[in-house]
């Protein structure tokens, strides 16, 4: 694949321009994007990535276009998995909702820098040492095994407490409050780091770890440095908007780690097979290549797409996925009703109340096994439902919504517990 310096320059300028556009027009003023804003811009970024694949098709042919699309889809799936960790980190540091955009964009920028560096290091190693394919394959197989082990054990890891964060906490004084989106503030005449900087340090540290899995994965699908770079860049751009678009769905993709484990394991095996085909290690087949079947780009693309489709469908429609959907829906609708402003119109209240009633009916069909597993705090869960129903009953009785603290305790007590399951 022959890519001229001019094409490289234009591509880098376009990607940096898209990144700068986000900084100037989207995150300069702290705000929480609306669902419509997130959907529109997510569509634009995905559309640009898909159109670029058509450019590759026209200029370099179907083989390279297929490799680009396979790499882009894989990197996008891994990026969505990264969003889980970003979500955990921001929850751990209680980042204000309106400031999360800036944190996410920093994470994306740092990830792009880290992965670009590893792309050129990896490309250089591959060009000089064919045995690197063995190493990349082993990394992916170990990563796949680690994902499976984590799902089987069910152990939770504090992603916000990585080594970079611990070092920062040890050597830098940090306030226990945010000062808008500032990284530093003054307290008692001393310049101190805010939790915002600590969040960015935590995300930067995890980005480096993500890159160690991400880059070997895409090199297993294409060895063209230009395609690796563009697939990684386009998969990261638009990730900020995607976060706010699927924020409510992230915790419902309960089998995503299993799907990614299968994909990474598949690519790992493909890399090892390719390494055997290109073998020059003297202790393997006397330094001669080993005749093996190499996996085609079309098959790789089919496996990746197929696994992701099965993963999403299983997450949403399996018994556990359905239970999570119902429980999550009840919590979301109840929280939305509790947070309604007092001047909210009656139709909006009635619509939310009707939706909540339908979900509570479905709640009784959820297996006790999944209720115990998915409801982290039964007391908090019931309290939220009671508050929402109490506010709505008060609204029906008086025609005006009370403030949350004005909901009569007796009203909440009047709610029948059997309906909660």
């Amino acid at each position: 694949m022959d890519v001229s310096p001019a094409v490289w320059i234009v591509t880098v300028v376009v990607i940096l321009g898209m990144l700068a556009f986000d900084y100037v027009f989207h995150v300069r003023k702290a705000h929480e994007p609306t669902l419509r804003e997130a959907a529109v811009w997510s569509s634009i970024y995905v559309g640009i990535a898909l159109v670029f694949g058509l450019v590759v098709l026209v200029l370099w042919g179907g083989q390279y276009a297929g490799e680009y699309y396979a790499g882009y889809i894989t990197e996008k799936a891994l990026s969505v998995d990264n969003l889980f960790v970003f979500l955990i980190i921001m929850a751990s540091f209680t980042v204000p909702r309106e400031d999360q955009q800036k944190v996410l964009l920093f994470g994306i920028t740092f990830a792009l820098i880290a992965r670009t560096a590893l792309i050129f290091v990896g490309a250089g190693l591959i060009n000089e040492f064919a045995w690197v394919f063995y190493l990349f394959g082993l990394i992916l197989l170990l990563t796949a095994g680690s994902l499976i082990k984590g799902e089987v054990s069910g152990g939770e890891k504090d992603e916000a407490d990585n080594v970079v964060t611990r070092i920062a906490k040890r050597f830098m004084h940090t306030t226990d409050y945010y000062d808008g989106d500032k990284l530093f503030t003054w307290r008692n005449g001393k310049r101190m780091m805010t939790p915002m900087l600590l969040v960015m340090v935590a995300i930067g540290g995890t980005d480096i770890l993500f890159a160690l899995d991400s880059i070997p994965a895409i090199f297993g699908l294409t060895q063209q440095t230009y395609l690796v770079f563009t697939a990684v860049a386009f998969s990261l751009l638009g990730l900020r908007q995607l976060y706010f678009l699927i924020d409510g769905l992230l915790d419902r993709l309960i089998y995503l780690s299993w799907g990614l484990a299968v994909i990474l394991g598949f690519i790992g095996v493909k890399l090892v097979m390719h390494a055997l085909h290109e073998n020059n290690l003297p202790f393997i087949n006397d330094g001669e290549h080993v005749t093996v079947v190499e996996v085609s780009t079309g098959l790789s693309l089919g496996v990746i797409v197929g696994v992701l489709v099965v993963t999403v469908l299983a997450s949403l429609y399996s018994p556990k996925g359905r239970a999570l959907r119902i429980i999550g829906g009840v919590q979301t609708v109840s929280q939305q009703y509790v947070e309604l402003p007092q001047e909210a119109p009656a139709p909006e209240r009635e619509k939310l109340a009707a939706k909540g009633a339908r979900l509570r009916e479905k709640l009784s069909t959820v297996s006790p096994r999944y209720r115990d597993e998915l409801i982290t705090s039964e007391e908090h869960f019931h309290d939220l439902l009671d508050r929402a129903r109490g506010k709505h009953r008060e609204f029906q009785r008086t025609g005006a919504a009370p403030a949350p603290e004005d909901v009569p305790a007796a009203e909440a007590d009047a709610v029948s517990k059997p309906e909660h399951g």
Side-chain angles (χ1 to χ4, degrees):
M1 184 177 178
D2 185 25
V3 183
S4 68
V7 172
W8 267 105
I9 292 171
V10 170
T11 303
V12 171
V13 168
V14 168
I15 289 171
L16 290 179
M18 293 169 68
L19 201 57
F21 180 84
D22 258 358
Y23 273 102
V24 174
F25 293 101
H26 285 154
V27 305
R28 185 169 58 178
K29 182 179 179 181
H31 73 286
E32 180 183 349
T34 63
L35 186 61
R36 182 177 181 277
E37 178 186 345
V40 168
W41 283 105
S42 292
S43 300
I44 289 173
Y45 279 107
V46 171
I48 291 172
L50 296 179
V51 168
F52 179 79
L54 298 179
V55 173
V56 174
L57 175 64
V58 172
L59 296 180
W60 293 288
Q63 170 70 21
Y64 293 124
E67 291 180 6
Y68 164 77
Y69 281 124
Y72 172 74
I73 293 172
T74 300
E75 291 298 310
K76 200 69 174 177
L78 289 170
S79 297
V80 171
D81 190 48
N82 296 357
L83 288 181
F84 280 103
V85 180
F86 289 170
L87 182 64
I88 293 170
I89 290 174
M90 288 192 286
S92 299
F93 286 101
T94 59
V95 180
R97 186 74 172 173
E98 63 273 13
D99 293 325
Q100 290 182 4
Q101 282 203 99
K102 182 166 287 189
V103 175
L104 285 168
L105 193 54
F106 168 81
I108 291 167
T109 304
F110 194 89
L112 186 56
I113 294 171
R115 296 184 192 194
T116 298
L118 284 179
I119 285 169
F120 287 101
V121 170
L125 289 174
I126 286 172
N127 289 334
E128 293 295 326
F129 309 105
W131 57 263
V132 170
F133 285 111
Y134 286 114
L135 178 61
F136 281 1
L138 180 61
I139 289 173
L140 294 184
L141 290 172
L142 290 174
T143 303
S146 177
L147 286 172
I148 293 173
K149 181 181 178 182
E151 288 298 307
V152 172
S153 66
E156 292 189 4
K157 181 181 175 183
D158 185 3
E159 301 289 353
D161 188 31
N162 57 47
V163 64
V164 181
T165 310
R166 291 197 295 271
I167 292 173
K169 285 180 177 178
R170 182 174 180 179
F171 293 102
M172 302 180 74
H173 296 291
T174 312
T175 64
D176 54 1
Y177 59 87
Y178 288 89
D179 186 5
D181 58 3
K182 294 179 182 177
L183 304 182
F184 293 92
T185 189
W186 291 88
R187 186 170 73 178
N188 299 327
K190 294 182 179 179
R191 192 167 184 257
M192 301 188 70
M193 181 175 68
T194 69
M196 180 63 70
L197 181 56
L198 206 56
V199 173
M200 292 185 175
V201 169
I203 285 183
T206 56
D207 275 334
I208 295 173
L209 299 178
F210 289 148
L212 295 176
D213 299 333
S214 168
I215 299 310
I218 193 168
F219 269 118
L221 299 168
T222 178
Q223 283 82 59
Q224 301 298 325
T225 308
Y226 182 73
L227 295 182
V228 172
F229 172 73
T230 51
V232 168
F234 284 124
S235 71
L236 290 172
L237 293 171
L239 199 60
R240 175 184 60 81
Q241 292 88 345
L242 185 64
Y243 171 85
F244 288 98
L245 180 62
I246 66 173
D247 186 10
L249 293 177
L250 279 176
D251 59 352
R252 300 186 191 182
L253 298 178
I254 53 178
Y255 297 121
L256 181 61
S257 291
W258 287 100
L260 289 176
V262 172
I263 291 172
L264 292 179
F266 168 77
I267 298 175
V269 170
K270 180 184 176 182
L271 275 171
V272 172
M273 292 172 68
H274 183 73
L276 290 170
H277 188 269
E278 302 290 330
N279 178 64
N280 57 11
L281 294 178
F283 53 85
I284 298 178
N285 199 33
D286 295 325
E288 299 295 327
H289 81 276
V290 179
T291 303
V292 292
V293 177
E294 289 219 66
V295 180
S296 67
T297 301
L299 178 59
S300 297
L301 186 57
V303 169
I304 292 166
V305 173
V307 170
L308 287 176
V309 169
V310 170
T311 298
V312 172
L313 292 178
S315 295
L316 297 178
Y317 296 105
S318 66
K320 184 176 179 180
R322 177 180 175 276
L324 184 60
R325 217 165 60 243
I326 293 171
I327 293 171
V330 170
Q331 290 177 311
T332 299
V333 171
S334 299
Q335 190 67 43
Q336 287 173 344
Y337 197 98
V338 167
E339 294 176 353
L340 277 176
Q342 287 188 274
E343 65 275 12
E348 184 179 357
R349 292 184 177 279
E350 295 295 347
K351 182 179 179 181
L352 269 179
K355 185 176 180 181
R358 290 194 299 271
L359 286 167
R360 284 195 300 273
E361 287 181 9
K362 293 181 180 179
L363 189 61
S364 62
T365 67
V366 173
S367 165
R369 168 192 168 193
Y370 292 129
R371 284 177 61 96
D372 294 340
E373 180 181 350
L374 300 174
I375 298 178
T376 54
S377 171
E378 193 81 19
E379 182 179 354
H380 174 75
F381 181 75
H382 289 316
D383 178 65
L384 180 60
L385 267 63
D386 290 344
R387 288 167 58 205
R389 290 173 54 160
K391 284 192 72 173
H392 187 61
R393 290 183 182 225
E394 184 68 14
F395 172 76
Q396 289 178 318
R397 186 164 55 236
T398 65
E405 62 272 13
D406 294 334
V407 178
E411 186 67 46
D413 293 337
V415 179
S416 58
K417 299 299 180 183
E419 190 167 335
H420 294 148

